[in-house]
Amino acid sequence: MIAVHFDKPGGPENLYLKEVAKPSPGEGEVLLKVAASALNRADLLQDSSSKNTGRQGQYAPPPGASNILGLEASGHVAELGAGCQGPWRVGDPAMALLSGGGQAQYVTVPAELLMPIPAGLTMCQAAAIPEAWLTAFQLLHLVGNVRAGDSVLIHAGASGVGTAAIQLARMAGATPLVTAGSQEKLQIAEKLGAAAGFNYKEEDFSEATLKFTKGAGVNLILDCIGGSYWEKNVNCLALDGHWVLYGLLGGAVISGPLFSKLLFKRGSLITSLLRSRDKKYKQMLVKAFTEQILPHFSTEGPQRLLPVLDRVYPVAEIQEAHEYMETNKNVGKIVLELPQ
């Protein structure tokens, strides 16, 4: 089969398509013939030590994960492994949360991590759901314990996770606020349901958040930035608020009185990752999401959920797709289409 490959960490120019062995489904696994796979930040950062490939050499895949990039995919069930229980049959359309391997013509998936594709969605739209939407669902509900009436500050509000979190926060009865780096991104976030948006390049989002909340601050912050935002985050966190850290795009190092400021707010700083979670946790997450959220992608009306796609590239243009992601101009997901 054809798969995205590279031999050493570095820039997008190292990526190319290579013919590799097609995987076989193991016990309880399904072989998915991939139609589309979305890009994630982890694809840019993944480690390339030992046999684990990656691109910049900064993010190690979990043990046992495929050494091919790609954390989510959509396609059709091509084969069932031994002992495959459940509803899946060969030919069924499905989308999957992966620990790697999605940017190839075939990928093996534990059957419990497959989800049906909601009616009315294309393969490219479906590929944009698993990693981003499960992350947003996990951060809001399982980690952040969002409640109706809460205010939620979502950093990188126009990202895949951000655009999902806006819609899921609204659905939970919370008020989503976002930060982003351009007026266009803020307008799209507001169309999706953000009550307000702040351009971090032009204003102090912390002061703007306090003004919007009439000085109370936000109950929950979803933060993929980290170091460079710590002081502003604590400043606009409400008393007893939850600050959920799930990325370090703004660095891992802080200097200053973080603990005293957080203690003064009685705030909780919680960290969360999805990719490194065990299979049992992911099964629980996929089951809850499939039951509670997935039907809302197909229902007409104000509660309808929408995966946001920015661009679709044929997989042969993998270098261009990575170059575009590095510009940070995308709103929503960048998707790769695999040859059928």
Side-chain angles (χ1 to χ4, degrees):
M1 67 170 183
I2 297 297
V4 172
H5 191 78
F6 62 93
D7 302 310
K8 58 179 191 287
E13 67 279 0
N14 289 349
L15 295 161
Y16 63 98
L17 297 185
K18 183 181 180 179
E19 200 162 301
V20 299
K22 178 174 148 186
S24 295
E27 182 84 21
E29 288 185 333
V30 163
L31 183 70
L32 190 71
K33 185 177 195 298
V34 178
S37 177
L39 287 189
N40 285 278
R41 288 275 152 198
D43 298 331
L44 303 187
L45 301 174
Q46 188 175 315
D47 183 84
S48 117
S49 57
S50 71
K51 68 181 191 336
N52 290 321
T53 63
R55 231 217 55 205
Q56 291 176 1
Q58 295 172 32
Y59 185 65
S66 168
N67 60 351
I68 296 166
L69 301 176
L71 300 180
E72 54 196 338
S74 63
H76 294 88
V77 174
E79 196 183 323
L80 301 172
C84 239
Q85 304 295 322
W88 298 106
R89 299 291 175 263
V90 171
D92 285 350
M95 56 188 184
L97 177 68
L98 308 167
S99 53
Q103 293 172 23
Q105 286 179 295
Y106 292 89
V107 64
T108 55
V109 193
E112 300 88 348
L113 300 187
L114 280 183
M115 294 174 279
I117 293 177
L121 292 192
T122 66
M123 282 291 169
C124 287
Q125 287 176 309
I129 292 175
E131 176 74 15
W133 283 79
L134 284 165
T135 295
F137 177 69
Q138 171 192 240
L139 296 174
L140 284 166
H141 290 281
L142 279 68
V143 183
N145 295 315
V146 70
R147 288 177 301 218
D150 280 353
S151 50
V152 184
L153 178 61
I154 301 161
H155 291 313
S159 65
V161 173
T163 53
I166 292 165
Q167 297 176 70
L168 292 174
R170 271 275 176 227
M171 205 171 135
T175 302
L177 313 175
V178 301
T179 65
S182 74
Q183 214 46 47
E184 180 207 1
K185 288 182 175 185
L186 294 177
Q187 283 167 354
I188 288 169
E190 286 173 17
K191 271 187 193 158
L192 291 171
F198 315 119
N199 185 336
Y200 64 83
K201 293 177 181 174
E202 293 176 0
E203 65 179 321
D204 182 334
F205 71 77
S206 187
E207 292 305 320
T209 298
L210 285 170
K211 189 175 173 186
F212 183 89
T213 57
K214 299 183 168 59
V218 287
N219 307 103
L220 178 59
I221 299 174
L222 303 188
D223 178 22
C224 56
I225 307 298
S228 61
Y229 276 13
W230 80 263
E231 201 155 12
K232 289 177 179 176
N233 280 336
V234 179
N235 187 47
C236 68
L237 191 66
L239 283 174
D240 303 307
H242 291 77
W243 166 15
V244 178
L245 180 70
Y246 70 100
L248 296 168
L249 295 175
V253 177
I254 62 151
S255 60
L258 167 61
F259 288 153
S260 62
K261 286 179 181 280
L262 196 58
L263 186 63
F264 181 72
K265 292 284 182 88
R266 301 192 302 268
S268 301
L269 173 57
I270 310 158
T271 66
S272 180
L273 293 170
L274 176 54
R275 190 183 187 186
S276 55
R277 301 262 187 181
D278 64 23
K279 186 175 152 191
K280 193 175 174 187
Y281 178 94
K282 289 178 180 175
Q283 286 173 5
M284 174 275 297
L285 183 66
V286 166
K287 185 173 187 288
F289 182 84
T290 301
E291 290 169 359
Q292 296 169 36
I293 306 299
L294 217 51
H296 295 278
F297 285 96
S298 317
T299 51
E300 288 300 335
Q303 288 277 43
R304 184 172 188 182
L305 300 174
L306 191 69
V308 179
L309 259 66
D310 185 292
R311 288 190 187 183
V312 178
Y313 288 88
V315 73
E317 293 175 22
I318 181 66
Q319 293 185 0
E320 291 86 342
H322 271 239
E323 283 163 7
Y324 179 59
M325 190 171 202
E326 287 184 347
T327 66
N328 277 332
K329 289 179 181 165
N330 59 299
V331 174
K333 301 288 283 188
I334 300 163
V335 173
L336 300 171
E337 272 191 303
L338 278 293
Q340 295 304 296

